[in-house]
mmCIF file of all heavy atoms in Angstrom:
data_model
loop_
_atom_site.group_PDB
_atom_site.id
_atom_site.type_symbol
_atom_site.label_atom_id
_atom_site.label_comp_id
_atom_site.label_asym_id
_atom_site.label_seq_id
_atom_site.Cartn_x
_atom_site.Cartn_y
_atom_site.Cartn_z
ATOM 1 N N PRO A 468 69.520 -69.898 39.337
ATOM 2 C CA PRO A 468 69.921 -68.638 39.845
ATOM 3 C C PRO A 468 69.214 -68.060 40.900
ATOM 4 O O PRO A 468 67.881 -68.041 40.898
ATOM 5 C CB PRO A 468 69.875 -67.721 38.443
ATOM 6 C CG PRO A 468 69.829 -68.668 37.359
ATOM 7 C CD PRO A 468 69.129 -69.965 37.902
ATOM 8 N N LEU A 469 69.867 -67.385 41.898
ATOM 9 C CA LEU A 469 69.235 -66.728 43.124
ATOM 10 C C LEU A 469 68.340 -67.564 43.895
ATOM 11 O O LEU A 469 67.454 -67.160 44.661
ATOM 12 C CB LEU A 469 68.378 -65.474 42.538
ATOM 13 C CG LEU A 469 69.147 -64.498 41.650
ATOM 14 C CD1 LEU A 469 68.337 -63.379 41.226
ATOM 15 C CD2 LEU A 469 70.369 -63.966 42.496
ATOM 16 N N SER A 470 68.494 -68.878 43.779
ATOM 17 C CA SER A 470 67.699 -69.791 44.675
ATOM 18 C C SER A 470 68.187 -70.325 45.883
ATOM 19 O O SER A 470 67.612 -70.934 46.685
ATOM 20 C CB SER A 470 67.327 -71.095 43.800
ATOM 21 O OG SER A 470 68.518 -71.739 43.432
ATOM 22 N N GLY A 471 69.481 -69.881 46.185
ATOM 23 C CA GLY A 471 70.207 -70.406 47.427
ATOM 24 C C GLY A 471 71.705 -70.296 47.286
ATOM 25 O O GLY A 471 72.204 -69.885 46.254
ATOM 26 N N PRO A 472 72.391 -70.990 48.313
ATOM 27 C CA PRO A 472 73.937 -70.896 48.212
ATOM 28 C C PRO A 472 74.472 -71.618 47.091
ATOM 29 O O PRO A 472 73.855 -72.789 46.657
ATOM 30 C CB PRO A 472 74.246 -71.577 49.524
ATOM 31 C CG PRO A 472 73.081 -72.502 49.854
ATOM 32 C CD PRO A 472 71.991 -71.764 49.419
ATOM 33 N N THR A 473 75.407 -71.087 46.387
ATOM 34 C CA THR A 473 75.992 -71.697 45.243
ATOM 35 C C THR A 473 77.450 -72.318 45.420
ATOM 36 O O THR A 473 77.975 -73.038 44.620
ATOM 37 C CB THR A 473 76.226 -70.649 43.962
ATOM 38 O OG1 THR A 473 77.025 -69.733 44.507
ATOM 39 C CG2 THR A 473 74.788 -70.126 43.547
ATOM 40 N N VAL A 474 78.046 -72.181 46.674
ATOM 41 C CA VAL A 474 79.113 -72.650 46.986
ATOM 42 C C VAL A 474 79.138 -73.329 48.418
ATOM 43 O O VAL A 474 78.248 -72.947 49.233
ATOM 44 C CB VAL A 474 80.311 -71.568 47.107
ATOM 45 C CG1 VAL A 474 80.515 -70.965 45.722
ATOM 46 C CG2 VAL A 474 79.865 -70.491 48.115
ATOM 47 N N THR A 475 80.081 -74.375 48.538
ATOM 48 C CA THR A 475 79.941 -75.154 49.773
ATOM 49 C C THR A 475 80.269 -74.177 50.873
ATOM 50 O O THR A 475 79.758 -74.668 52.105
ATOM 51 C CB THR A 475 80.845 -76.326 49.743
ATOM 52 O OG1 THR A 475 82.074 -75.808 49.349
ATOM 53 C CG2 THR A 475 80.404 -77.291 48.715
ATOM 54 N N ALA A 476 80.978 -73.193 50.866
ATOM 55 C CA ALA A 476 81.258 -72.322 51.955
ATOM 56 C C ALA A 476 80.114 -71.586 52.574
ATOM 57 O O ALA A 476 80.095 -71.302 53.808
ATOM 58 C CB ALA A 476 82.346 -71.258 51.433
ATOM 59 N N ALA A 477 79.011 -71.512 51.671
ATOM 60 C CA ALA A 477 77.920 -70.792 52.182
ATOM 61 C C ALA A 477 76.892 -71.758 52.938
ATOM 62 O O ALA A 477 75.891 -71.282 53.264
ATOM 63 C CB ALA A 477 77.135 -69.985 50.989
ATOM 64 N N ALA A 478 77.190 -73.067 53.033
ATOM 65 C CA ALA A 478 76.304 -73.982 53.672
ATOM 66 C C ALA A 478 76.876 -74.368 54.795
ATOM 67 O O ALA A 478 78.200 -74.474 55.046
ATOM 68 C CB ALA A 478 75.981 -75.202 52.613
ATOM 69 N N ASP A 479 76.006 -75.000 55.688
ATOM 70 C CA ASP A 479 76.501 -75.568 56.941
ATOM 71 C C ASP A 479 76.856 -76.995 56.785
ATOM 72 O O ASP A 479 76.016 -77.868 57.190
ATOM 73 C CB ASP A 479 75.407 -75.321 57.996
ATOM 74 C CG ASP A 479 75.782 -75.895 59.383
ATOM 75 O OD1 ASP A 479 77.136 -75.769 59.615
ATOM 76 O OD2 ASP A 479 75.094 -76.048 60.284
ATOM 77 N N ILE A 480 77.983 -77.364 56.198
ATOM 78 C CA ILE A 480 78.303 -78.702 55.927
ATOM 79 C C ILE A 480 79.539 -79.085 56.779
ATOM 80 O O ILE A 480 80.490 -78.143 57.120
ATOM 81 C CB ILE A 480 78.932 -78.739 54.407
ATOM 82 C CG1 ILE A 480 77.818 -78.415 53.416
ATOM 83 C CG2 ILE A 480 79.424 -80.188 54.086
ATOM 84 C CD1 ILE A 480 78.347 -78.513 52.020
ATOM 85 N N PRO A 481 79.398 -80.101 57.605
ATOM 86 C CA PRO A 481 80.446 -80.509 58.510
ATOM 87 C C PRO A 481 81.667 -81.054 57.987
ATOM 88 O O PRO A 481 82.089 -82.244 58.190
ATOM 89 C CB PRO A 481 79.644 -81.624 59.283
ATOM 90 C CG PRO A 481 78.877 -82.224 58.344
ATOM 91 C CD PRO A 481 78.333 -81.219 57.294
ATOM 92 N N PHE A 482 82.449 -80.089 57.459
ATOM 93 C CA PHE A 482 83.769 -80.534 56.916
ATOM 94 C C PHE A 482 84.737 -80.703 58.149
ATOM 95 O O PHE A 482 84.559 -80.219 59.076
ATOM 96 C CB PHE A 482 84.415 -79.371 55.968
ATOM 97 C CG PHE A 482 83.654 -79.381 54.715
ATOM 98 C CD1 PHE A 482 82.916 -78.110 54.268
ATOM 99 C CD2 PHE A 482 83.680 -80.461 53.742
ATOM 100 C CE1 PHE A 482 82.531 -78.102 52.966
ATOM 101 C CE2 PHE A 482 83.025 -80.467 52.612
ATOM 102 C CZ PHE A 482 82.338 -79.079 52.202
ATOM 103 N N ASP A 483 85.718 -81.469 57.882
ATOM 104 C CA ASP A 483 86.745 -81.675 59.003
ATOM 105 C C ASP A 483 87.500 -80.450 59.274
ATOM 106 O O ASP A 483 87.849 -80.207 60.534
ATOM 107 C CB ASP A 483 87.715 -82.812 58.573
ATOM 108 C CG ASP A 483 87.098 -84.192 58.572
ATOM 109 O OD1 ASP A 483 85.865 -84.212 58.753
ATOM 110 O OD2 ASP A 483 87.758 -85.189 58.248
#
Side-chain angles (χ1 to χ4, degrees):
L469 306 177
S470 63
T473 59
V474 293
T475 53
D479 186 21
I480 300 177
F482 290 122
D483 290 3

